[in-house]
Amino acid sequence: MPEIKVVPLGAGQDVGRSCILLSIGGKNIMLDCGMHMGFNDSRRFPDFSYITRSGKLTEHLDCVIISHFHLDHCGALPYMSEMVGFDGPIYMTQPTKAICPILLEDYRKISVERKGETNFFTSAMIKDCMKKVITTNLHQTIQVDNELEIKAYYAGHVLGAAMYHIKVGADSVVYTGDFNMTPDRHLGAAWIDKCRPNMLITESTYATTIRDSKRCRERDFLQKVHECVEKGGKVLIPVFALGRAQELCILLETFWERMNLKVPIYFTLGLTEKANHYYKLFITWTNQKIKETFVKRNMFEFQHIKGFDRNYINNPGPMVVFATPGMLHAGLSLQIFKQWANNEKNMVIMPGYCVAGTVGSQILNGKKKIPIENGGIIDVKLSVQYMSFSAHADAKGIMQLIRHCEPKNVVLVHGEAGKMKFLKEKITQEFGVGCFMPANGQSIRVESKPSISVDMPLNLLKRTMAQKGELSDLLSEKRSKQFHGVLVMSDDKLRIEDPKKVLNDLDIKDHEIRFTSTVSIPPVSMEVLHTQLEKMLSDHSVLLSPDGSILIGSVLLKCSTDEEEEEDLKMLVSWSYQEEELGSTLFHTLKNNFDSLMQL
């Protein structure tokens, strides 16, 4: 029996270092290739020796798919392709291809030039890696080879983020990457076809969270920022360069304009211009409102938000600063935090998820003394606020996607083990499908039952769909239809044909098979029985013949003895094989549920 195999090299019961190996229909695909922000040693990259201990990965992988530009999904890409060795195709969307090398270069500079790390990819390697990239458009089916095809769908989350539908023959897998089912101020909600895959591999960052109203959250955020700067405090908002940064900038820009505030708002120098450039370039990836107003006013050209210089850190007076990166694990945001942490007037607002081990994660867990490099300690006296403006789907969003997608199995990745376990139970309980949460290096195997496609003439399909439903379908919301036809194989293809057409083509005489049985029922006139059957079978034509027999389609009910001779009536029930369900249902109703029939 063919099977689908999944092995996380990263993001298995963990957030960070997303890298999933998928084997489907004899094809091997790597889904994302990220780094881990909680480690600075060899653990920051996936362990590619799992695939092969010697030689290039090209021989073992058919392609690599990158879902979006966040470093925990693409940060190990140049290391994998240029240092370990992969010459095959790398697929990503156009915005992801444009933004990826910028973030990779920033990551390289921090790691090599500031921290002095060795065994790291170079700027040239980033460029060589990006030459191997093939861009994908939304809803475009791309043939990787004769058997493997992929299709990208809008994922929300960040500019250019995509979910991928991967198909080999009749088997298919959907990989979500990071996605958001709720539209925000600059991006739309994730959307995918009802593709009913064999497997859905989904992120589960917020597996146990159901977020409150977005409007309430925004009001709370603005209120806290306003209160802090009114008291003369400084507000640090650690963000990643693209995504939540633009969302919160639009929010503060609108509020500052409305309130006529003069307190300076700063953004990491250079990144605002870059972000603005890419949002202009890829305006079709934003939400409908921004697309409609873009000609009159570009929402990303901020009047109140200026570029930040490191010399401003110790400036007196209130200010609001957006600084990268978002988890306080390095860079300018950590530098500012060190300077402002010991003042009670100041505030840090963490707007998204923080990986375990980062400074952001530690302060959210309430730590007041944070050890840093070179043996130093950060004394945390400032106010620490967490407000989830994260662009990940919450538990409700994940369940919504599963309900829409209708997968046969679900694999949870990119989440914490305890929260995954809770969500896994909910998924199994509500949808009755297999649900797995593999750890890194653990294999998941799911059998894929082969499906056989059969063609059918349109006129036969229309005729069958026009017929009234069977008895068992009457109470069903999704009424199924039973097709009667002859299965014909021709030129290695299967099709269902109308039996009359096949008989005519083969010059064979039509024979009718009928089932006949007799059942004893209490004395009743055929007129009364006819009335009760009309009530029971309101969707069918129930006819009373002059000879006293009752006809329902091909089903015949006839009294087989004289009513005065016997205490009970002998009722003959006869039906054709095409109406087996209707005939047998009537027979069993007369035999076992006659009293109930008479009480209708």
Side-chain angles (χ1 to χ4, degrees):
M1 183 74 76
E3 63 179 17
I4 296 170
K5 179 184 170 187
V6 171
V7 186
L9 297 188
Q13 297 181 14
D14 186 19
V15 177
R17 196 176 52 199
S18 282
C19 186
I20 317 295
L21 291 182
L22 169 67
S23 298
I24 175 172
K27 305 293 177 182
N28 297 316
I29 301 121
M30 181 182 285
L31 305 171
D32 282 334
C33 189
M35 52 78 75
H36 201 298
M37 294 181 187
F39 299 114
N40 287 320
D41 53 22
S42 60
R43 292 173 295 174
R44 69 184 158 206
F45 293 151
D47 182 8
F48 298 113
S49 66
Y50 181 94
I51 303 170
T52 178
R53 295 189 178 276
S54 60
K56 288 191 171 188
L57 299 179
T58 315
E59 300 163 21
H60 305 275
L61 293 174
D62 292 280
C63 71
V64 174
I65 295 172
I66 302 296
S67 63
H68 64 287
F69 59 67
H70 278 158
L71 290 175
D72 61 327
H73 292 259
C74 72
L77 192 58
Y79 177 82
M80 183 275 298
S81 68
E82 306 311 307
M83 297 177 75
V84 180
F86 176 71
D87 300 320
I90 301 168
Y91 294 95
M92 59 180 74
T93 64
Q94 191 67 57
T96 304
K97 185 185 179 183
I99 298 163
C100 239
I102 297 165
L103 299 186
L104 287 168
E105 179 58 24
D106 281 351
Y107 177 41
R108 186 201 68 78
K109 279 181 181 174
I110 291 169
S111 301
V112 177
E113 294 176 15
R114 291 190 197 161
K115 295 184 180 177
E117 292 184 20
T118 55
N119 193 32
F120 215 84
F121 52 80
T122 63
S123 296
M125 286 178 182
I126 295 172
K127 290 176 184 174
D128 290 339
C129 170
M130 299 316 289
K131 288 175 186 174
K132 297 169 184 175
V133 169
I134 299 169
T135 57
T136 60
N137 297 320
L138 292 177
H139 306 161
Q140 174 196 8
T141 300
I142 290 183
Q143 287 291 150
V144 178
D145 58 29
N146 292 336
E147 296 169 317
L148 172 61
E149 65 180 50
I150 62 173
K151 191 175 186 179
Y153 290 91
Y154 192 81
H157 187 62
V158 291
L159 192 70
M163 300 188 273
Y164 281 88
H165 185 207
I166 300 137
K167 196 173 178 187
V168 179
D171 294 335
S172 72
V173 169
V174 168
Y175 175 61
T176 66
D178 291 349
F179 70 101
N180 191 5
M181 295 298 282
T182 310
D184 56 32
R185 286 175 180 266
H186 74 297
L187 295 173
W191 186 88
I192 191 168
D193 286 323
K194 192 183 279 289
C195 43
R196 298 183 178 91
N198 298 73
M199 182 183 287
L200 172 70
I201 304 172
T202 176
E203 68 138 316
S204 52
T205 318
Y206 289 97
T208 57
T209 304
I210 294 179
R211 292 199 196 94
D212 55 3
S213 154
K214 190 161 78 75
R215 188 168 291 179
C216 292
R217 219 178 318 138
E218 289 178 348
R219 190 170 60 239
D220 197 21
F221 167 77
L222 293 170
Q223 187 180 335
K224 282 189 164 59
V225 172
H226 192 210
E227 284 174 0
C228 182
V229 296
E230 283 283 289
K231 293 173 185 174
K234 295 175 170 64
V235 180
L236 171 64
I237 306 171
V239 289
F240 290 104
L242 288 138
R244 292 317 85 200
Q246 281 67 42
E247 181 79 1
L248 297 176
C249 279
I250 292 171
L251 190 57
L252 276 184
E253 172 82 7
T254 310
F255 183 71
W256 247 239
E257 204 167 287
R258 192 171 73 243
M259 300 294 288
N260 196 26
L261 297 175
K262 303 300 179 188
V263 174
I265 306 174
Y266 298 112
F267 201 118
T268 307
L269 196 62
L271 285 174
T272 318
E273 291 86 345
K274 284 178 185 175
N276 199 22
H277 169 71
Y278 286 116
Y279 277 99
K280 280 180 182 176
L281 193 60
F282 302 113
I283 195 74
T284 54
W285 285 77
T286 60
N287 67 20
Q288 198 59 37
K289 185 181 177 183
I290 285 182
K291 280 186 271 193
E292 286 170 358
T293 58
F294 181 69
V295 178
K296 297 174 187 173
R297 185 198 168 183
N298 180 5
M299 292 286 285
F300 303 105
E301 285 176 355
F302 305 117
Q303 306 300 316
H304 298 273
I305 301 169
K306 309 298 179 189
F308 183 78
D309 189 282
R310 288 173 192 272
N311 297 325
Y312 299 170
I313 293 178
N314 294 314
N315 278 8
M319 67 175 79
V320 179
V321 177
F322 289 94
T324 58
M327 298 188 191
L328 292 176
H329 59 282
L332 185 59
S333 63
L334 182 57
Q335 188 183 340
I336 297 170
F337 179 75
K338 288 175 186 176
Q339 296 293 322
W340 293 0
N342 62 357
N343 189 331
E344 293 173 1
K345 276 187 179 181
N346 298 337
M347 178 184 287
V348 60
I349 297 178
M350 305 300 296
Y353 184 87
C354 289
V355 168
T358 58
V359 173
S361 173
Q362 291 178 62
I363 62 170
L364 286 177
N365 287 329
K367 284 189 76 172
K368 296 297 180 185
K369 304 281 185 183
I370 309 289
I372 53 172
E373 292 170 8
N374 306 322
I377 298 282
I378 304 174
D379 195 9
V380 182
K381 290 182 181 176
L382 86 177
S383 171
V384 177
Q385 301 290 332
Y386 173 70
M387 293 182 194
S388 178
F389 285 94
S390 175
H392 292 271
D394 62 1
K396 188 178 175 183
I398 296 167
M399 298 295 270
Q400 186 184 338
L401 181 73
I402 296 169
R403 192 174 295 109
H404 174 76
C405 209
E406 294 185 9
K408 296 181 181 72
N409 298 277
V410 176
V411 175
L412 301 177
V413 295
H414 200 285
E416 296 168 22
K419 294 177 181 179
M420 280 180 165
K421 192 174 180 184
F422 175 84
L423 184 61
K424 177 185 173 182
E425 288 171 6
K426 288 284 179 191
I427 291 168
T428 307
Q429 183 182 333
E430 183 162 337
F431 301 106
V433 298
C435 188
F436 309 91
M437 42 175 283
N440 288 332
Q442 182 185 351
S443 299
I444 290 296
R445 286 180 165 84
V446 171
E447 284 187 355
S448 60
K449 295 175 182 176
S451 60
I452 300 168
S453 60
V454 180
D455 294 332
M456 175 182 285
L458 187 60
N459 60 346
L460 177 60
L461 181 64
K462 285 181 177 177
R463 195 162 65 246
T464 308
M465 295 307 293
Q467 292 171 1
K468 292 179 179 178
E470 301 290 353
L471 285 179
S472 61
D473 302 331
L474 295 179
L475 299 175
S476 170
E477 287 183 21
K478 293 182 179 179
R479 297 192 178 188
S480 58
K481 288 284 183 182
Q482 197 171 54
F483 284 86
H484 292 284
V486 178
L487 190 63
V488 178
M489 179 179 258
S490 175
D491 300 325
D492 293 330
K493 288 186 178 179
L494 291 172
R495 69 180 190 277
I496 293 176
E497 290 283 10
D498 188 330
K500 290 179 181 176
K501 180 183 180 302
V502 175
L503 288 168
N504 187 54
D505 290 348
L506 297 175
D507 196 22
I508 298 173
K509 189 181 176 183
D510 192 6
H511 294 270
E512 184 181 54
I513 301 172
R514 290 190 71 85
F515 303 92
T516 304
S517 192
T518 305
V519 60
S520 295
I521 60 171
V524 64
S525 71
M526 295 303 281
E527 288 80 6
V528 171
L529 183 60
H530 170 256
T531 303
Q532 297 307 108
L533 286 173
E534 277 189 319
K535 293 177 185 176
M536 175 186 167
L537 305 171
S538 56
D539 281 2
H540 290 70
S541 172
V542 183
L543 302 174
L544 180 63
S545 301
D547 64 357
S549 61
I550 296 171
L551 276 172
I552 310 157
S554 72
V555 182
L556 172 69
L557 276 70
K558 190 171 184 178
C559 191
S560 62
T561 58
D562 191 338
E563 294 178 20
E564 296 177 1
E565 287 182 12
E566 297 280 347
E567 193 173 309
D568 282 349
L569 293 179
K570 298 288 183 186
M571 187 65 65
L572 179 138
V573 185
S574 176
W575 64 92
S576 68
Y577 82 95
Q578 286 93 340
E579 295 194 284
E580 161 65 23
E581 186 176 358
L582 177 61
S584 58
T585 301
L586 280 168
F587 178 79
H588 289 295
T589 301
L590 294 172
K591 184 178 180 182
N592 303 316
N593 299 308
F594 185 79
D595 291 341
S596 300
L597 174 64
M598 290 297 107
Q599 289 169 12
L600 288 175

